[in-house]
């Protein structure tokens, strides 16, 4: 008998939006030429994708070491705030 296990993958939704020098919407952070929104909720991958689309953005795709360092530092900061 084969058993299939359905695994729920939950992530913190991080949306990004390329701005071409424009200002970010309220609740979004600027880094380089993009805006980022760090969700407070965890979602399935599909849920996070839909959330970002509704915000007119997309799930973040890290393109270089600088962007990776920014995402990593912001995630650590937010984790510390949750624990205090």
């Amino acid at each position: 008998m084969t058993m299939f296990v359905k695994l729920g993958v939950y992530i913190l939704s991080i949306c990004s939006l390329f701005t071409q020098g424009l200002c970010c919407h309220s609740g979004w952070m600027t880094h380089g030429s993009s805006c980022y929104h760090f969700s407070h909720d965890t979602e399935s991958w599909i849920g996070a994708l839909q959330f970002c689309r509704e915000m007119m953005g997309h799930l973040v795709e890290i393109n270089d070491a600088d962007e990776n360092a920014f995402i990593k530092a912001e995630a650590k900061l937010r984790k510390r705030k949750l624990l205090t």
Side-chain angles (χ1 to χ4, degrees):
M1 180 175 162
T2 304
M3 182 181 280
F4 291 95
V5 178
K6 182 178 178 184
L7 297 176
V9 177
Y10 293 92
I11 60 171
L12 179 66
S13 304
I14 305 174
C15 306
S16 65
L17 179 66
F18 184 69
T19 63
Q20 295 184 351
L22 303 175
C23 296
C24 296
H25 297 291
S26 178
W28 291 64
M29 298 178 64
T30 303
H31 178 75
S33 59
S34 296
C35 296
Y36 296 84
H37 181 275
F38 292 80
S39 173
H40 300 286
D41 301 320
T42 54
E43 299 280 351
S44 65
W45 186 87
I46 294 293
L49 180 67
Q50 182 62 34
F51 173 80
C52 290
R53 286 181 177 167
E54 289 171 4
M55 302 279 289
M56 305 305 285
H58 59 273
L59 284 173
V60 71
E61 293 180 29
I62 298 172
N63 295 304
D64 57 40
D66 184 52
E67 184 179 28
N68 188 57
F70 165 72
I71 298 291
K72 195 173 179 180
E74 189 61 33
K76 282 183 181 179
L77 178 64
R78 290 170 184 272
K79 182 179 179 181
R80 269 189 249 132
K81 286 182 180 180
L82 285 174
L83 296 175
T84 57

